[in-house]
Amino acid sequence: MHPLQCVLQTQRWGPLASVSWLLLRTCRALSSLPSTAYPSPEKQQEDGVQKDFSSRLATGPTFQHFLRNASAPQEKPDMEDPPPYVTVEELLGRQRKVYLETYGCQMNVNDTEIAWSVLQKSGYLRTRNLQEADVILLVTCSIREKAEQTIWNRLQQLKALKTKRLRSRVPLRIGILGCMAERLKEEILNREKMVDILAGPDAYRDLPRLLAVAESGQQAANVLLSLDETYADVMPVQTSPSATSAFVSIMRGCDNMCSYCIVPFTRGRERSRPVASILEEVRKLSEQGLKEVTLLGQNVNSFQDSSEVQFNNAVSTNLSRGFSTNYKPKKGGLRFAYLLDQVSRVDPEMRIRFTSPHPKDFPDEVLQLIHERDNICKQIHLPAQSGSSRVLETMRRGYSREAYVELIHHIRESIPGVSLSSDFIAGFCGETEEDHLQTVSLLREVQYNMGFLFAYSMRQKTRAYHRLKDDVPEEVKLRRLEELITVFREEATKANMASVGSTQLVLVEGHSKRSATDLCGRNDGNLKVIFPDVEMEDINNSDVRVRAQPGDYVLVKITSTSSQTLKGHVLCRTTLKGSSAYC
Ligand code: 5AD
Ligand code: SF4
C-alpha cells in the first residue's frame, strides 16, 4: 500500500470504527435506564425509530459528518444542558475524591493534569491517598507490551480494593484513561468487569459524563479520536506547586507512521495547539515563578498552527537535508521556529526545552534560534532508532544513517557545545548482527550525552505487525540491548568528562535524594548536577551571602562526572542573563 493511502485509511476508517463502537457501548450502558430517560431498542423499533435509523444508515455518514462528530468542541460537557440520561448533580461530581495514577511518557503526565483540570471544574476533589479515593483513574501507556502488563497487574490489585470496599461507602469507580483505553477498548471492559470507564486521549472533556453514567453501575466509554482536540482552553493544573519547571503541550498525535509504533493509532492524527493559547500558558507559568518550560508533543518540531487564516500561505515544510516523510508535505501555518522564538521572548529568565522532536524537521532557522537565544537550552533529542540504513528503511523513518550523521555534524557546527540525546530500538524485525553493530558504531561515532534504549516490542495494528516478522529471539534482543547500554554509558562518560573544569549554569531543583547536605539541579544540557549546599555570593548583591533555593540559578564548577551525573562546587548565585559571560 502507498504510504499516503495508509495514513488516509486511518483517517477514514479508524476513528469511524470508534464512533460506532462508542455508540454501541453507550446504548448498552443506557438500556437499563428507565424508558423515559432513553427508549429501549424494542421501543425504538415500535416507534419506527429503528426504521428511520436503517434508512439513514443506508445513505451512510459522509466524511464531513465524521469530521463534525469527531471535533472536540462538541464533546464539551454542557452543565446547563446535560444529556437526558444524567442529572446536573451527577455531572457535578458530588465532591467525590479522585486518585490519579500516571504511567508512561511525559505526555501522560501532562494529560493527567488536563484530566484533573476537567474534573476539578466539575466539582471533584483530588486525593493523594488511594484508600480515601472514590474514583481511581489510571493514565496508561501502550508503547511497549511491558507498559501494558504493568496496568493489567495494577488492575488486579485495584480489584481487591473494590471488592473489599465497605458497603457504607459509595462504590469505588475505576477508570482507564489514555493509550491503553484507545488500543484495547472493549477488551478491557470485557476482561476486567471492575473497570467502570474508558477514556481515550482525546476524550478527557467527557470524563464528567462518563463518571456520571458509571454512577448508575454501568460501564461507559469514549474512545473517539479527534482531528482538532488540543485542549487549548484547558489549562493544566500544576500538580506540584513547589516545582521549578513545567511541561506545556503544544501538539498532539503523530502522522509519521514509523512501522513499529502504536502512537498514531492510540493518539491519532497530528494537530497543533494555537500559538496564542501556548503563549498564554507560558506567561501564566512565568508569573507563578516557574523557571523552565518544556514544550511537549510527539513531534514538536513538526508544529504547524493553521488556526490563523492569514498565515495559511502555500510555503511547504522545510525538511532537513536527506530526510523525507510518509505523508504529503504540509503547507503554511505558524511553524516551530516561530513558536520557539515567541515562547523564548516571554521571560528571558525562563529556560526553554522541547521534546520529542523528529530529526526530519530541523531547518536552519530552528538551529540558528537555539544557538542565538540565551534561554533556549542547547540540548537536542534526535531519536535515531537504529544505525543501520537497511533497518531504518524497514522502520520507515525517512532517512539513512548517512543523512542522520550529516545532520548531527550540521547541528554541532551550528550550535557549538550542543548536548545530544537519542532513542534506539534493539532487535527490530529482521535486524541482523551486522545491523546491530552499525547501531553500536553510531553510538560510538556520535557520543550522545543521554540515551533511551529499548528492546523491540511488537504492537498490533502497526505496519511491522502486518508486514514484518518479529524474528529476533527475545534473548538476542536483550543481549543487544545490554550491549547498546554498555556502549552508550562508556561514550556518555567520555563526553561528560570533557566538562570537568568548566563552569555550568545550573537551575536548582532541591536537595539531592542521596544526601541532605547536597543540592541537585540541571545544567543547560539537562544533565543532573550535584553540589554541596553551602553559602555563596549573590552576583547581584555582593553584600549578602545566600543559600541556593529551588528555582535559583547558580554557577557550578564541575570537578567529576559519571555517565549520568556531574559533580562540582558552587561559585555563586546568578541569573540566566548574567551567567552568559561565565559559561
Ligand atoms: N518497541 C520498542 N520501542 C518502541 N518505541 C516506540 N515503539 C516501540 C516499540 N514497538 C520507542 C522509540 C521511541 C520511544 C518513545 O519509544 O524509540 O522513540
Ligand atoms: Fe511513533 Fe515515529 Fe510518531 Fe515517534 S515519530 S510517535 S516513533 S510514529
Side-chain angles (χ1 to χ4, degrees):
M1 191 192 295
H2 187 275
L4 187 62
Q5 237 176 317
C6 175
V7 171
L8 283 176
Q9 222 182 42
T10 322
Q11 187 185 49
R12 181 74 177 82
W13 298 115
L16 257 182
S18 309
V19 173
S20 52
W21 182 80
L22 171 89
L23 292 176
L24 202 83
R25 267 289 158 191
T26 314
C27 290
R28 217 179 88 172
L30 295 170
S31 58
S32 63
L33 291 180
S35 57
T36 44
Y38 197 86
S40 68
E42 301 79 45
K43 178 97 175 43
Q44 286 183 15
Q45 190 91 52
E46 278 166 28
D47 295 350
V49 175
Q50 193 75 44
K51 221 167 103 218
D52 178 45
F53 179 66
S54 306
S55 63
R56 274 191 286 133
L57 199 67
T59 18
T62 62
F63 184 56
Q64 289 311 318
H65 174 98
F66 156 62
L67 289 185
R68 262 200 322 274
N69 284 334
S71 73
Q74 296 179 18
E75 293 296 318
K76 284 181 202 174
D78 184 348
M79 297 304 170
E80 280 162 24
D81 189 15
Y85 45 86
V86 287
T87 63
V88 174
E89 202 208 355
E90 279 168 339
L91 276 178
L92 287 178
R94 294 169 168 159
Q95 308 240 310
R96 300 274 199 264
K97 290 187 180 143
V98 184
Y99 180 89
L100 286 144
E101 208 164 80
T102 315
Y103 295 82
C105 66
Q106 214 34 250
M107 277 303 278
N108 275 3
V109 177
N110 201 257
D111 278 11
T112 306
E113 290 173 8
I114 289 170
W116 171 234
S117 181
V118 169
L119 289 172
Q120 191 182 36
K121 265 204 201 119
S122 233
Y124 284 87
L125 304 173
R126 178 100 182 243
T127 176
R128 309 265 171 193
N129 178 354
L130 190 67
Q131 304 300 329
E132 217 179 69
D134 302 313
V135 178
I136 299 174
L137 300 177
L138 308 183
V139 184
T140 62
C141 170
S142 279
I143 199 131
R144 282 168 288 274
E145 169 92 43
K146 214 170 136 198
E148 289 188 352
Q149 196 48 54
T150 311
I151 304 293
W152 288 121
N153 297 344
R154 183 65 172 144
L155 279 176
Q156 290 313 310
Q157 294 166 355
L158 297 182
K159 197 187 239 172
L161 212 63
K162 197 166 183 173
T163 42
K164 275 197 240 139
R165 183 121 169 146
L166 293 178
R167 282 171 162 263
S168 54
R169 298 179 71 186
V170 293
L172 179 64
R173 303 289 174 211
I174 293 175
I176 300 288
L177 274 50
C179 291
M180 216 171 138
E182 194 64 54
R183 193 179 93 74
L184 295 172
K185 299 176 183 140
E186 59 265 76
E187 189 183 330
I188 298 180
L189 297 183
N190 293 338
R191 208 167 124 178
E192 290 301 345
K193 297 275 182 271
M194 38 82 81
V195 171
D196 300 284
I197 70 154
L198 284 188
D202 290 342
Y204 302 140
R205 289 181 198 273
D206 203 19
L207 281 170
R209 185 189 66 87
L210 294 173
L211 284 169
V213 172
E215 278 287 294
S216 65
Q218 306 294 319
Q219 290 180 313
N222 183 347
V223 288
L224 269 174
L225 284 175
S226 159
L227 292 182
D228 59 5
E229 176 62 281
T230 59
Y231 298 108
D233 57 325
V234 182
M235 287 295 152
V237 183
Q238 272 305 120
T239 37
S240 164
S242 62
T244 54
S245 35
F247 288 85
V248 173
S249 166
I250 65 164
M251 49 99 67
R252 299 178 72 84
C254 177
D255 284 352
N256 282 330
M257 291 282 179
C258 300
S259 63
Y260 50 82
C261 187
I262 191 71
V263 167
F265 302 92
T266 56
R267 288 192 161 265
R269 300 297 306 268
E270 198 169 293
R271 64 224 104 114
S272 298
R273 180 176 167 186
V275 169
S277 94
I278 298 171
L279 292 177
E280 189 192 332
E281 187 176 341
V282 174
R283 268 186 221 110
K284 276 194 185 144
L285 293 169
S286 160
E287 282 160 20
Q288 284 169 25
L290 271 84
K291 291 294 177 57
E292 183 180 82
V293 292
T294 303
L295 306 179
L296 205 59
Q298 249 75 43
N299 259 295
V300 268
N301 52 344
S302 318
F303 182 86
Q304 185 190 29
D305 168 18
S306 305
S307 62
E308 306 265 345
V309 178
Q310 71 264 36
F311 295 110
N312 286 337
N313 53 44
V315 181
S316 288
T317 313
N318 206 354
L319 292 179
S320 314
R321 203 164 353 137
F323 287 73
S324 64
T325 59
N326 289 332
Y327 51 80
K328 219 164 113 190
K330 295 180 178 176
K331 290 185 175 170
L334 298 170
R335 311 310 305 251
F336 187 59
Y338 176 82
L339 176 72
L340 199 54
D341 174 43
Q342 293 294 303
V343 168
S344 67
R345 286 173 193 273
V346 169
D347 178 353
E349 286 300 310
M350 189 180 232
R351 269 181 172 174
I352 313 298
R353 301 185 192 276
F354 54 89
T355 197
S356 208
H358 190 286
K360 70 179 162 48
D361 287 310
F362 273 109
D364 283 348
E365 46 186 340
V366 170
L367 300 178
Q368 200 57 35
L369 195 64
I370 299 173
H371 172 54
E372 279 170 11
R373 210 53 62 82
D374 284 338
N375 63 337
I376 303 180
C377 292
K378 276 75 195 137
Q379 174 224 343
I380 296 186
H381 186 59
L382 217 57
Q385 312 299 358
S386 171
S388 153
S389 293
R390 204 187 61 79
V391 172
L392 286 170
E393 202 175 328
T394 55
M395 286 178 162
R396 289 164 65 84
R397 289 290 289 173
Y399 53 86
S400 62
R401 176 198 174 106
E402 292 67 35
Y404 180 87
V405 170
E406 193 186 321
L407 177 66
I408 293 274
H409 289 313
H410 183 52
I411 289 177
R412 284 199 160 134
E413 275 160 22
S414 309
I415 312 169
V418 65
S419 164
L420 294 174
S421 56
S422 186
D423 293 347
F424 284 96
I425 297 177
F428 183 59
C429 308
E431 186 190 75
T432 62
E433 214 51 37
E434 169 55 27
D435 294 320
H436 167 63
L437 290 176
Q438 295 217 14
T439 302
V440 170
S441 93
L442 186 66
L443 282 170
R444 294 236 184 260
E445 186 173 346
V446 177
Q447 209 172 64
Y448 296 97
N449 301 81
M450 270 189 245
F452 304 89
L453 312 169
F454 313 98
Y456 175 59
S457 165
M458 175 67 98
R459 308 277 65 207
Q460 273 177 17
K461 280 199 185 170
T462 59
R463 195 179 165 92
Y465 177 80
H466 290 296
R467 306 274 177 101
L468 305 172
K469 241 179 126 188
D470 184 14
D471 53 1
V472 179
E474 206 51 35
E475 65 276 13
V476 176
K477 281 182 189 168
L478 294 178
R479 194 254 303 150
R480 288 182 187 166
L481 178 65
E482 281 301 316
E483 284 173 15
L484 295 185
I485 293 172
T486 306
V487 174
F488 157 72
R489 285 214 176 116
E490 284 170 15
E491 295 303 319
T493 308
K494 283 188 218 161
N496 295 342
M497 282 281 276
S499 61
V500 173
S502 69
T503 301
Q504 307 248 340
L505 179 69
V506 175
L507 176 59
V508 179
E509 288 175 356
H511 278 103
S512 156
K513 281 192 191 120
R514 296 222 177 130
S515 151
T517 57
D518 284 336
L519 287 173
C520 168
R522 292 200 178 252
N523 72 355
D524 188 274
N526 212 17
L527 269 176
K528 202 181 255 184
V529 183
I530 311 278
F531 53 94
D533 178 8
V534 292
E535 282 194 340
M536 69 196 85
E537 190 186 316
D538 182 356
I539 219 159
N540 289 322
N541 184 358
S542 50
D543 294 343
V544 292
R545 303 225 10 117
V546 293
R547 273 214 138 102
Q549 302 298 319
D552 283 347
Y553 287 109
V554 293
L555 290 176
V556 176
K557 185 126 185 146
I558 305 301
T559 50
S560 68
T561 65
S562 70
S563 66
Q564 319 265 12
T565 338
L566 309 181
K567 284 189 176 168
H569 58 258
V570 71
L571 300 177
C572 61
R573 185 163 79 175
T574 181
T575 57
L576 199 154
K577 273 244 155 277
S579 69
S580 51
Y582 303 90
C583 300

